[in-house]
Amino acid sequence: IRKNPPSSPSPESTIVTKRPRQFSTGSRQRVRGRDFDELTQKVLDAAIKEYRVIVCTKDAFPEADVNRKLSALVWVNACAALKVQIQPNEDLMRLITSRASEVRGKLKTIARGFAAGVYGLNKSNEDEHNREAIKTLLTKSNFLYQDPERREGCLLTPAIPFIINAMWFNDKEDDGVRYSNRFDPDGGGRIPLPTVALVCTAIENCLDEYQSGAFSEIPFTRVMYKAKYDARLSYLEDFSKKTKHAAIIPRLCRRLYKLARKHAKVDAELVVQNILIEDAEVEAATKEWEDIVFSDEADD
């Protein structure tokens, strides 16, 4: 991969490195970020952060060729941001792309916690209630409704905003805020549809784990869930077209983004009050300080 960041108008502020320094541990262990020099680690860290966000906002289960292009893109962006030029090797590219499964795993953990509570599932033992509930929830995607049994509140399950908030909008420093260009790519204040599809697929994965009535872990892997993710995204895109007159999907995504930013307290205004000094306060302080002598003032 031969990609360099845009040339800087200020060459003296740019560090040029031909290749990353990689340190050998003397064993055949897998490569880690700390095996590289400090500068390369900084670029790698920045690249990984953006890559994780792209996976969550554009393509949760990228194909190999797409993955390679994404890893090159985020590496170039990281180099440009840090004003350096470092040629990545295959080990660095693999370290970046390996984070796709990691970020999906984190999402799955968060979704599992909310899914059990929102849908009233019992993880402790085999439960006929679980089996019947899951059957209802997975039929015609009833789990996406606010009231799954009555199919009321289409796409308004509280699980979706709960998971989005916890995953990307915990506070002002979280990814959803730091990478607002990715989570609001067109500037319209809307969560990307691929993100909504990913969250819905993660919820479905959590529900699948209870289909027998007893909890049985199912990995949220590319092999198991890429097809379901693609189908969910296609469903949402088709639903958006068919309900264009009511703008349901744009309104949903705008609501999710607004709730997320509110949760992160991004738009919260600090109330600054003027501190008034009363005459009585001035007089009292003056009298007190007339009688105060600090030890380091005694010789003044």
PDB file of all heavy atoms in Angstrom, residues 6-33:
ATOM      1  N   PRO A   6      -1.673  14.326   2.276  1.00  0.00           N
ATOM      2  CA  PRO A   6      -1.464  15.490   1.437  1.00  0.00           C
ATOM      3  C   PRO A   6      -0.207  16.231   1.874  1.00  0.00           C
ATOM      4  O   PRO A   6       0.096  16.327   3.058  1.00  0.00           O
ATOM      5  CB  PRO A   6      -2.733  16.338   1.682  1.00  0.00           C
ATOM      6  CG  PRO A   6      -3.752  15.353   2.145  1.00  0.00           C
ATOM      7  CD  PRO A   6      -2.994  14.320   2.914  1.00  0.00           C
ATOM      8  N   SER A   7       0.532  16.758   0.888  1.00  0.00           N
ATOM      9  CA  SER A   7       1.761  17.480   1.232  1.00  0.00           C
ATOM     10  C   SER A   7       1.440  18.703   2.055  1.00  0.00           C
ATOM     11  O   SER A   7       0.466  19.405   1.801  1.00  0.00           O
ATOM     12  CB  SER A   7       2.494  17.890  -0.047  1.00  0.00           C
ATOM     13  OG  SER A   7       1.648  18.687  -0.850  1.00  0.00           O
ATOM     14  N   SER A   8       2.259  18.971   3.032  1.00  0.00           N
ATOM     15  CA  SER A   8       2.022  20.081   3.939  1.00  0.00           C
ATOM     16  C   SER A   8       2.632  21.356   3.374  1.00  0.00           C
ATOM     17  O   SER A   8       3.733  21.337   2.814  1.00  0.00           O
ATOM     18  CB  SER A   8       2.646  19.791   5.307  1.00  0.00           C
ATOM     19  OG  SER A   8       2.632  20.950   6.100  1.00  0.00           O
ATOM     20  N   PRO A   9       1.948  22.512   3.503  1.00  0.00           N
ATOM     21  CA  PRO A   9       2.515  23.775   3.041  1.00  0.00           C
ATOM     22  C   PRO A   9       3.659  24.234   3.933  1.00  0.00           C
ATOM     23  O   PRO A   9       4.329  25.193   3.636  1.00  0.00           O
ATOM     24  CB  PRO A   9       1.316  24.740   3.104  1.00  0.00           C
ATOM     25  CG  PRO A   9       0.442  24.151   4.160  1.00  0.00           C
ATOM     26  CD  PRO A   9       0.604  22.669   4.020  1.00  0.00           C
ATOM     27  N   SER A  10       3.852  23.541   5.059  1.00  0.00           N
ATOM     28  CA  SER A  10       4.915  23.910   5.991  1.00  0.00           C
ATOM     29  C   SER A  10       5.812  22.702   6.224  1.00  0.00           C
ATOM     30  O   SER A  10       5.633  21.962   7.180  1.00  0.00           O
ATOM     31  CB  SER A  10       4.296  24.384   7.318  1.00  0.00           C
ATOM     32  OG  SER A  10       5.305  24.692   8.243  1.00  0.00           O
ATOM     33  N   PRO A  11       6.804  22.501   5.333  1.00  0.00           N
ATOM     34  CA  PRO A  11       7.649  21.299   5.425  1.00  0.00           C
ATOM     35  C   PRO A  11       8.363  21.162   6.754  1.00  0.00           C
ATOM     36  O   PRO A  11       8.565  20.046   7.231  1.00  0.00           O
ATOM     37  CB  PRO A  11       8.659  21.508   4.283  1.00  0.00           C
ATOM     38  CG  PRO A  11       7.973  22.432   3.336  1.00  0.00           C
ATOM     39  CD  PRO A  11       7.155  23.340   4.196  1.00  0.00           C
ATOM     40  N   GLU A  12       8.725  22.279   7.368  1.00  0.00           N
ATOM     41  CA  GLU A  12       9.461  22.174   8.620  1.00  0.00           C
ATOM     42  C   GLU A  12       8.629  21.613   9.752  1.00  0.00           C
ATOM     43  O   GLU A  12       9.147  21.160  10.772  1.00  0.00           O
ATOM     44  CB  GLU A  12      10.014  23.548   9.036  1.00  0.00           C
ATOM     45  CG  GLU A  12       8.951  24.602   9.358  1.00  0.00           C
ATOM     46  CD  GLU A  12       8.451  25.330   8.115  1.00  0.00           C
ATOM     47  OE1 GLU A  12       8.815  24.903   7.000  1.00  0.00           O
ATOM     48  OE2 GLU A  12       7.724  26.312   8.273  1.00  0.00           O
ATOM     49  N   SER A  13       7.283  21.624   9.614  1.00  0.00           N
ATOM     50  CA  SER A  13       6.412  21.086  10.664  1.00  0.00           C
ATOM     51  C   SER A  13       6.048  19.634  10.401  1.00  0.00           C
ATOM     52  O   SER A  13       5.280  19.040  11.143  1.00  0.00           O
ATOM     53  CB  SER A  13       5.132  21.930  10.770  1.00  0.00           C
ATOM     54  OG  SER A  13       4.361  21.800   9.595  1.00  0.00           O
ATOM     55  N   THR A  14       6.592  19.061   9.329  1.00  0.00           N
ATOM     56  CA  THR A  14       6.261  17.687   8.965  1.00  0.00           C
ATOM     57  C   THR A  14       7.432  16.757   9.205  1.00  0.00           C
ATOM     58  O   THR A  14       8.543  17.027   8.775  1.00  0.00           O
ATOM     59  CB  THR A  14       5.843  17.602   7.483  1.00  0.00           C
ATOM     60  OG1 THR A  14       4.739  18.460   7.270  1.00  0.00           O
ATOM     61  CG2 THR A  14       5.464  16.175   7.107  1.00  0.00           C
ATOM     62  N   ILE A  15       7.176  15.665   9.917  1.00  0.00           N
ATOM     63  CA  ILE A  15       8.191  14.643  10.144  1.00  0.00           C
ATOM     64  C   ILE A  15       8.036  13.575   9.063  1.00  0.00           C
ATOM     65  O   ILE A  15       6.953  13.047   8.862  1.00  0.00           O
ATOM     66  CB  ILE A  15       8.025  13.988  11.530  1.00  0.00           C
ATOM     67  CG1 ILE A  15       8.085  15.063  12.608  1.00  0.00           C
ATOM     68  CG2 ILE A  15       9.078  12.916  11.759  1.00  0.00           C
ATOM     69  CD1 ILE A  15       7.707  14.542  13.970  1.00  0.00           C
ATOM     70  N   VAL A  16       9.090  13.284   8.338  1.00  0.00           N
ATOM     71  CA  VAL A  16       9.016  12.290   7.280  1.00  0.00           C
ATOM     72  C   VAL A  16       9.761  11.034   7.720  1.00  0.00           C
ATOM     73  O   VAL A  16      10.935  11.089   8.062  1.00  0.00           O
ATOM     74  CB  VAL A  16       9.622  12.831   5.971  1.00  0.00           C
ATOM     75  CG1 VAL A  16       9.522  11.769   4.872  1.00  0.00           C
ATOM     76  CG2 VAL A  16       8.902  14.104   5.541  1.00  0.00           C
ATOM     77  N   THR A  17       9.054   9.916   7.720  1.00  0.00           N
ATOM     78  CA  THR A  17       9.668   8.641   8.089  1.00  0.00           C
ATOM     79  C   THR A  17       9.419   7.660   6.952  1.00  0.00           C
ATOM     80  O   THR A  17       8.278   7.471   6.539  1.00  0.00           O
ATOM     81  CB  THR A  17       9.059   8.102   9.392  1.00  0.00           C
ATOM     82  OG1 THR A  17       9.219   9.082  10.415  1.00  0.00           O
ATOM     83  CG2 THR A  17       9.752   6.812   9.804  1.00  0.00           C
ATOM     84  N   LYS A  18      10.444   7.033   6.436  1.00  0.00           N
ATOM     85  CA  LYS A  18      10.277   6.130   5.294  1.00  0.00           C
ATOM     86  C   LYS A  18       9.522   4.870   5.660  1.00  0.00           C
ATOM     87  O   LYS A  18       8.707   4.374   4.922  1.00  0.00           O
ATOM     88  CB  LYS A  18      11.650   5.785   4.718  1.00  0.00           C
ATOM     89  CG  LYS A  18      12.341   6.971   4.049  1.00  0.00           C
ATOM     90  CD  LYS A  18      13.654   6.526   3.420  1.00  0.00           C
ATOM     91  CE  LYS A  18      14.340   7.705   2.726  1.00  0.00           C
ATOM     92  NZ  LYS A  18      15.623   7.287   2.110  1.00  0.00           N
ATOM     93  N   ARG A  19       9.827   4.326   6.821  1.00  0.00           N
ATOM     94  CA  ARG A  19       9.166   3.071   7.212  1.00  0.00           C
ATOM     95  C   ARG A  19       9.075   3.010   8.732  1.00  0.00           C
ATOM     96  O   ARG A  19       9.880   3.630   9.436  1.00  0.00           O
ATOM     97  CB  ARG A  19       9.936   1.867   6.689  1.00  0.00           C
ATOM     98  CG  ARG A  19      11.339   1.723   7.225  1.00  0.00           C
ATOM     99  CD  ARG A  19      12.019   0.499   6.646  1.00  0.00           C
ATOM    100  NE  ARG A  19      12.132   0.585   5.211  1.00  0.00           N
ATOM    101  CZ  ARG A  19      13.148   1.197   4.593  1.00  0.00           C
ATOM    102  NH1 ARG A  19      14.099   1.790   5.312  1.00  0.00           N
ATOM    103  NH2 ARG A  19      13.226   1.228   3.292  1.00  0.00           N
ATOM    104  N   PRO A  20       8.065   2.309   9.268  1.00  0.00           N
ATOM    105  CA  PRO A  20       7.931   2.202  10.725  1.00  0.00           C
ATOM    106  C   PRO A  20       9.032   1.335  11.309  1.00  0.00           C
ATOM    107  O   PRO A  20       9.497   0.392  10.684  1.00  0.00           O
ATOM    108  CB  PRO A  20       6.558   1.542  10.893  1.00  0.00           C
ATOM    109  CG  PRO A  20       6.380   0.747   9.649  1.00  0.00           C
ATOM    110  CD  PRO A  20       7.026   1.544   8.552  1.00  0.00           C
ATOM    111  N   ARG A  21       9.446   1.666  12.513  1.00  0.00           N
ATOM    112  CA  ARG A  21      10.409   0.838  13.226  1.00  0.00           C
ATOM    113  C   ARG A  21       9.649  -0.225  14.006  1.00  0.00           C
ATOM    114  O   ARG A  21       8.779   0.071  14.802  1.00  0.00           O
ATOM    115  CB  ARG A  21      11.251   1.689  14.176  1.00  0.00           C
ATOM    116  CG  ARG A  21      12.201   2.643  13.478  1.00  0.00           C
ATOM    117  CD  ARG A  21      12.984   3.441  14.495  1.00  0.00           C
ATOM    118  NE  ARG A  21      13.774   2.552  15.361  1.00  0.00           N
ATOM    119  CZ  ARG A  21      14.234   2.911  16.556  1.00  0.00           C
ATOM    120  NH1 ARG A  21      13.971   4.104  17.033  1.00  0.00           N
ATOM    121  NH2 ARG A  21      14.940   2.065  17.271  1.00  0.00           N
ATOM    122  N   GLN A  22       9.981  -1.467  13.747  1.00  0.00           N
ATOM    123  CA  GLN A  22       9.305  -2.591  14.402  1.00  0.00           C
ATOM    124  C   GLN A  22      10.336  -3.375  15.204  1.00  0.00           C
ATOM    125  O   GLN A  22      11.380  -3.744  14.694  1.00  0.00           O
ATOM    126  CB  GLN A  22       8.639  -3.493  13.367  1.00  0.00           C
ATOM    127  CG  GLN A  22       7.789  -4.603  13.971  1.00  0.00           C
ATOM    128  CD  GLN A  22       6.953  -5.293  12.910  1.00  0.00           C
ATOM    129  OE1 GLN A  22       6.937  -4.895  11.756  1.00  0.00           O
ATOM    130  NE2 GLN A  22       6.252  -6.337  13.308  1.00  0.00           N
ATOM    131  N   PHE A  23      10.030  -3.594  16.478  1.00  0.00           N
ATOM    132  CA  PHE A  23      10.969  -4.265  17.363  1.00  0.00           C
ATOM    133  C   PHE A  23      10.599  -5.735  17.491  1.00  0.00           C
ATOM    134  O   PHE A  23       9.431  -6.079  17.670  1.00  0.00           O
ATOM    135  CB  PHE A  23      10.975  -3.605  18.740  1.00  0.00           C
ATOM    136  CG  PHE A  23      11.207  -2.117  18.667  1.00  0.00           C
ATOM    137  CD1 PHE A  23      10.165  -1.233  18.912  1.00  0.00           C
ATOM    138  CD2 PHE A  23      12.451  -1.616  18.334  1.00  0.00           C
ATOM    139  CE1 PHE A  23      10.372   0.135  18.836  1.00  0.00           C
ATOM    140  CE2 PHE A  23      12.661  -0.248  18.266  1.00  0.00           C
ATOM    141  CZ  PHE A  23      11.633   0.624  18.509  1.00  0.00           C
ATOM    142  N   SER A  24      11.577  -6.581  17.428  1.00  0.00           N
ATOM    143  CA  SER A  24      11.344  -8.023  17.532  1.00  0.00           C
ATOM    144  C   SER A  24      11.399  -8.464  18.985  1.00  0.00           C
ATOM    145  O   SER A  24      12.254  -8.015  19.746  1.00  0.00           O
ATOM    146  CB  SER A  24      12.406  -8.786  16.733  1.00  0.00           C
ATOM    147  OG  SER A  24      12.277 -10.172  16.944  1.00  0.00           O
ATOM    148  N   THR A  25      10.476  -9.320  19.374  1.00  0.00           N
ATOM    149  CA  THR A  25      10.453  -9.847  20.744  1.00  0.00           C
ATOM    150  C   THR A  25      11.247 -11.140  20.854  1.00  0.00           C
ATOM    151  O   THR A  25      11.370 -11.712  21.927  1.00  0.00           O
ATOM    152  CB  THR A  25       9.001 -10.131  21.187  1.00  0.00           C
ATOM    153  OG1 THR A  25       8.437 -11.094  20.297  1.00  0.00           O
ATOM    154  CG2 THR A  25       8.177  -8.861  21.164  1.00  0.00           C
ATOM    155  N   GLY A  26      11.759 -11.602  19.707  1.00  0.00           N
ATOM    156  CA  GLY A  26      12.550 -12.830  19.718  1.00  0.00           C
ATOM    157  C   GLY A  26      11.696 -14.079  19.752  1.00  0.00           C
ATOM    158  O   GLY A  26      12.183 -15.176  19.967  1.00  0.00           O
ATOM    159  N   SER A  27      10.413 -13.929  19.567  1.00  0.00           N
ATOM    160  CA  SER A  27       9.521 -15.090  19.569  1.00  0.00           C
ATOM    161  C   SER A  27       8.586 -14.977  18.378  1.00  0.00           C
ATOM    162  O   SER A  27       8.610 -14.010  17.632  1.00  0.00           O
ATOM    163  CB  SER A  27       8.715 -15.148  20.871  1.00  0.00           C
ATOM    164  OG  SER A  27       7.846 -14.045  20.944  1.00  0.00           O
ATOM    165  N   ARG A  28       7.713 -15.947  18.215  1.00  0.00           N
ATOM    166  CA  ARG A  28       6.786 -15.941  17.089  1.00  0.00           C
ATOM    167  C   ARG A  28       5.383 -15.540  17.547  1.00  0.00           C
ATOM    168  O   ARG A  28       4.379 -15.995  17.002  1.00  0.00           O
ATOM    169  CB  ARG A  28       6.763 -17.335  16.445  1.00  0.00           C
ATOM    170  CG  ARG A  28       8.100 -17.736  15.846  1.00  0.00           C
ATOM    171  CD  ARG A  28       8.033 -19.125  15.244  1.00  0.00           C
ATOM    172  NE  ARG A  28       7.073 -19.208  14.160  1.00  0.00           N
ATOM    173  CZ  ARG A  28       7.350 -18.872  12.909  1.00  0.00           C
ATOM    174  NH1 ARG A  28       8.536 -18.395  12.597  1.00  0.00           N
ATOM    175  NH2 ARG A  28       6.447 -19.012  11.964  1.00  0.00           N
ATOM    176  N   GLN A  29       5.304 -14.707  18.556  1.00  0.00           N
ATOM    177  CA  GLN A  29       4.010 -14.239  19.040  1.00  0.00           C
ATOM    178  C   GLN A  29       3.393 -13.295  18.012  1.00  0.00           C
ATOM    179  O   GLN A  29       4.070 -12.727  17.172  1.00  0.00           O
ATOM    180  CB  GLN A  29       4.177 -13.525  20.376  1.00  0.00           C
ATOM    181  CG  GLN A  29       4.664 -14.433  21.504  1.00  0.00           C
ATOM    182  CD  GLN A  29       4.866 -13.655  22.793  1.00  0.00           C
ATOM    183  OE1 GLN A  29       4.784 -12.436  22.792  1.00  0.00           O
ATOM    184  NE2 GLN A  29       5.130 -14.360  23.858  1.00  0.00           N
ATOM    185  N   ARG A  30       2.068 -13.108  18.122  1.00  0.00           N
ATOM    186  CA  ARG A  30       1.394 -12.212  17.188  1.00  0.00           C
ATOM    187  C   ARG A  30       1.864 -10.776  17.406  1.00  0.00           C
ATOM    188  O   ARG A  30       2.247 -10.383  18.505  1.00  0.00           O
ATOM    189  CB  ARG A  30      -0.121 -12.305  17.377  1.00  0.00           C
ATOM    190  CG  ARG A  30      -0.628 -11.849  18.730  1.00  0.00           C
ATOM    191  CD  ARG A  30      -2.125 -12.108  18.850  1.00  0.00           C
ATOM    192  NE  ARG A  30      -2.648 -11.712  20.139  1.00  0.00           N
ATOM    193  CZ  ARG A  30      -3.069 -10.487  20.429  1.00  0.00           C
ATOM    194  NH1 ARG A  30      -2.997  -9.544  19.523  1.00  0.00           N
ATOM    195  NH2 ARG A  30      -3.555 -10.198  21.630  1.00  0.00           N
ATOM    196  N   VAL A  31       1.808  -9.998  16.345  1.00  0.00           N
ATOM    197  CA  VAL A  31       2.267  -8.614  16.387  1.00  0.00           C
ATOM    198  C   VAL A  31       1.290  -7.763  17.183  1.00  0.00           C
ATOM    199  O   VAL A  31       0.067  -7.918  17.075  1.00  0.00           O
ATOM    200  CB  VAL A  31       2.404  -8.055  14.953  1.00  0.00           C
ATOM    201  CG1 VAL A  31       2.824  -6.592  14.979  1.00  0.00           C
ATOM    202  CG2 VAL A  31       3.407  -8.882  14.172  1.00  0.00           C
ATOM    203  N   ARG A  32       1.821  -6.874  17.989  1.00  0.00           N
ATOM    204  CA  ARG A  32       1.018  -5.948  18.786  1.00  0.00           C
ATOM    205  C   ARG A  32       1.459  -4.525  18.498  1.00  0.00           C
ATOM    206  O   ARG A  32       2.570  -4.290  18.010  1.00  0.00           O
ATOM    207  CB  ARG A  32       1.164  -6.261  20.276  1.00  0.00           C
ATOM    208  CG  ARG A  32       0.629  -7.633  20.676  1.00  0.00           C
ATOM    209  CD  ARG A  32       1.116  -8.042  22.041  1.00  0.00           C
ATOM    210  NE  ARG A  32       2.570  -8.202  22.045  1.00  0.00           N
ATOM    211  CZ  ARG A  32       3.256  -8.612  23.103  1.00  0.00           C
ATOM    212  NH1 ARG A  32       2.635  -8.896  24.219  1.00  0.00           N
ATOM    213  NH2 ARG A  32       4.571  -8.732  23.040  1.00  0.00           N
ATOM    214  N   GLY A  33       0.590  -3.578  18.848  1.00  0.00           N
ATOM    215  CA  GLY A  33       0.911  -2.185  18.595  1.00  0.00           C
ATOM    216  C   GLY A  33       2.186  -1.729  19.273  1.00  0.00           C
ATOM    217  O   GLY A  33       2.962  -0.941  18.724  1.00  0.00           O
TER     218      GLY A  33
END
